[in-house]
Amino acid sequence: MKIQTPPGMRDFYPAEMRLQNWLFRHWREVSRAFGCEEYEGPIFEYLDLYTLKSGPGIVSELFNFEDRGERRFAIRPEMTPTLARMVAARANTLPRPIKWFSTPRMCRAEKPQRGRLREFFQWNVDILGVDDVLADAEVIAVAIEFVRRIGLSERDVVMRVSSRPIAASVLAGMGITSDEEANRAFGLIDRYDKLGRDEFRRQWQEFAPAVDCDRLLAHLEQTDLQQSLGLAEAAGPAGEAAAKQFEELWQRLRQFQVDSYCAFDLKVVRGLAYYTGPVFELSARQGGLRALLGGGRYDNLTQLLDGPSVSGVGFGMGDAPVLELLTELGKLPALSAGLDVFVIDAGSELFPKAVEITSQLRRAGFACDFSYKRQAIGKQFAQAEKRGARLAIVVGAELAESGQLTVKDMRTAQQQAVAAAELLADPVSTLGAMR
């Protein structure tokens, strides 16, 4: 019986795993460059953790189950609830600011589609315990530093930045004043790019027939930053505060030297109700501005878990959309298996010595291998090249005659004789210059 990979899941063969590790390495290096520490949580949580934040409607989107103790759990679909739970549990003892990151595996019980799978890895970066928009700007700067390092320019991606309070002020000026109505409106606006103009108009008229949709569309599609700030300021003290906060954010983005990647976009509101301030999405410029990352400020989440109020801002970035974009742009790196050394025997009688040398090099920290099959030197060199070895060491007759080994640089094809005793006594120094 043939059993295939489950829908929306992936197998990672070595070539794919090299790409995943390349991506994870950049995620970790950028996070640590900004002073963030890594954390993790359980693969599943109590179902209540997700319904508390997102309501009972979220259950259909989760892989959930009941254990033998009749407790309801769900495999984690995102990391923010786990983060909030962990911070709430130790809020009074954790040093501030809390600058954490994680790269967990997630699952969502939804229909697989382009760039959105049922199982995926997600890079999460959050700063908690800081009210100043300096934290918002730094979180955005983390994301932009990552795309810079993997070769994506302002021509490839754009960080679309907005503000929930500013958007709320604009909606209030159109007659949508209650929190419930505003959250429903945000959920619809969040789907604008996916729905398209005509379908958005139809759904908006069902939701709020008394609110002029053409006027709203004009705001969403044509209003620039200064006009939006003016609308917010005209809405009253709350709008004035939101406008001032957003102007400060933009100044910080310039100071972090990432503003060239950023653009104001009032359509970015993020559909989740827990966002309370600036929000942002990193989008690919080609392919209909599909999102690569989403995030924003959330200042009340820990209180939902009976913890003290701890302000926070963060984002999540999935692995699949990023790798898909790099593939489309022809910017995926060419990665080999990355062996340091491949040891070759010039004859089957020399193979035991080749194994000894391989073992000593491995103990010295070299990624080292040999051929299982006894075959001609040329075929062993071909195997070394296929495995991506940087160096090849040939164990030949010279070892018995003069105590020497031949070391070949597989990139330049240059080779030289090296004393075996010297190499084995200090392989790091002997091979270091060629490694």
Side-chain angles (χ1 to χ4, degrees), residues 146-403:
F146 165 73
V147 299
R148 278 175 171 162
R149 291 196 186 192
I150 64 172
L152 296 176
S153 72
E154 300 94 324
R155 295 184 299 276
D156 302 315
V157 295
V158 57
M159 183 68 79
R160 303 158 68 201
V161 188
S162 187
S163 163
R164 287 283 286 255
I166 289 176
S169 297
V170 172
L171 291 175
M174 299 179 66
I176 298 177
T177 56
S178 73
D179 289 343
E180 181 180 354
E181 286 183 326
N183 284 329
R184 289 182 62 191
F186 287 147
L188 188 54
I189 293 170
D190 185 56
R191 300 197 303 277
Y192 174 89
D193 291 331
K194 295 179 181 178
L195 294 173
R197 204 173 195 271
D198 292 342
E199 179 61 18
F200 176 84
R201 181 194 296 274
R202 187 189 68 79
Q203 293 193 22
W204 182 269
Q205 288 173 343
E206 288 182 358
F207 159 62
V211 177
D212 186 350
C213 188
D214 288 331
R215 182 183 171 199
L216 173 65
L217 287 170
H219 284 317
L220 296 179
E221 297 171 345
Q222 302 170 21
T223 305
D224 62 19
L225 174 57
Q226 292 306 317
Q227 291 171 325
S228 294
L229 293 178
L231 290 171
E233 290 169 347
E240 291 177 0
K244 181 180 179 181
Q245 180 193 58
F246 202 79
E247 287 179 319
E248 291 174 0
L249 171 63
W250 217 261
Q251 291 174 2
R252 293 299 189 187
L253 293 174
R254 285 194 288 269
Q255 292 165 7
F256 278 114
Q257 301 176 23
V258 297
D259 56 300
S260 62
Y261 276 84
C262 299
F264 175 75
D265 191 336
L266 192 60
K267 296 188 297 297
V268 175
V269 293
R270 306 295 295 159
L272 297 173
Y274 62 74
Y275 286 114
T276 59
V279 287
F280 49 88
E281 290 182 0
L282 181 71
S283 301
R285 289 194 179 274
Q286 70 173 43
L289 288 174
R290 67 184 186 277
L292 306 174
L293 166 158
R297 174 163 285 275
Y298 51 89
D299 286 343
N300 304 319
L301 203 52
T302 53
Q303 288 180 298
L304 292 177
L305 302 171
D306 295 329
S309 177
V310 180
S311 59
V313 58
F315 68 76
M317 168 185 275
D319 63 318
V322 176
L323 294 176
E324 183 181 82
L325 177 62
L326 291 173
T327 300
E328 292 176 0
L329 297 176
K331 294 189 175 186
L332 274 181
L335 303 173
S336 66
L339 282 178
D340 293 319
V341 182
F342 195 89
V343 181
I344 295 171
D345 64 89
S348 59
E349 72 282 0
L350 295 167
F351 180 62
K353 189 63 179 178
V355 174
E356 292 178 17
I357 292 171
T358 300
S359 296
Q360 289 179 271
L361 291 174
R362 287 169 174 169
R363 285 199 296 273
F366 289 82
C368 189
D369 211 348
F370 53 79
S371 174
Y372 273 33
K373 187 177 181 180
R374 308 283 46 81
Q375 53 190 346
I377 289 180
K379 290 186 176 180
Q380 292 183 68
F381 269 118
Q383 189 174 352
E385 184 175 0
K386 187 175 182 180
R387 297 287 303 279
R390 299 284 299 277
L391 302 173
I393 295 178
V394 180
V395 182
E398 300 85 358
L399 181 61
E401 295 171 359
S402 58

Side-chain angles (χ1 to χ4, degrees), residues 378-430:
K379 290 186 176 180
Q380 292 183 68
F381 269 118
Q383 189 174 352
E385 184 175 0
K386 187 175 182 180
R387 297 287 303 279
R390 299 284 299 277
L391 302 173
I393 295 178
V394 180
V395 182
E398 300 85 358
L399 181 61
E401 295 171 359
S402 58
Q404 292 190 318
L405 300 166
T406 300
V407 181
K408 181 178 180 179
D409 188 320
M410 297 297 292
R411 298 165 299 175
T412 65
Q414 294 181 344
Q415 60 185 45
Q416 65 186 72
V418 175
E422 178 184 340
L423 186 150
L424 297 178
D426 190 359
V428 174
S429 298
T430 306

Side-chain angles (χ1 to χ4, degrees), residues 30-31 34 36 98-101 123-128 130 132-147 159 161 249 252-253 256 258 262 275 278-280 282 293-298 312-317:
V30 171
S31 299
F34 281 76
C36 298
I98 301 166
K99 300 176 74 172
W100 286 2
F101 79 96
W123 179 35
N124 300 271
V125 175
D126 294 85
I127 299 177
L128 296 96
V130 180
D132 197 309
V133 291
L134 175 62
D136 304 63
E138 187 167 33
V139 164
I140 292 172
V142 173
I144 293 175
E145 177 61 23
F146 165 73
V147 299
M159 183 68 79
V161 188
L249 171 63
R252 293 299 189 187
L253 293 174
F256 278 114
V258 297
C262 299
Y275 286 114
V279 287
F280 49 88
L282 181 71
L293 166 158
R297 174 163 285 275
Y298 51 89
V313 58
F315 68 76
M317 168 185 275

Side-chain angles (χ1 to χ4, degrees), residues 27 31 37-40 79 100-104 106 122-125:
W27 281 350
S31 299
E37 296 183 286
E38 190 166 7
Y39 75 100
E40 243 296 12
M79 203 63 181
W100 286 2
F101 79 96
S102 62
T103 58
M106 308 287 198
Q122 188 179 73
W123 179 35
N124 300 271
V125 175

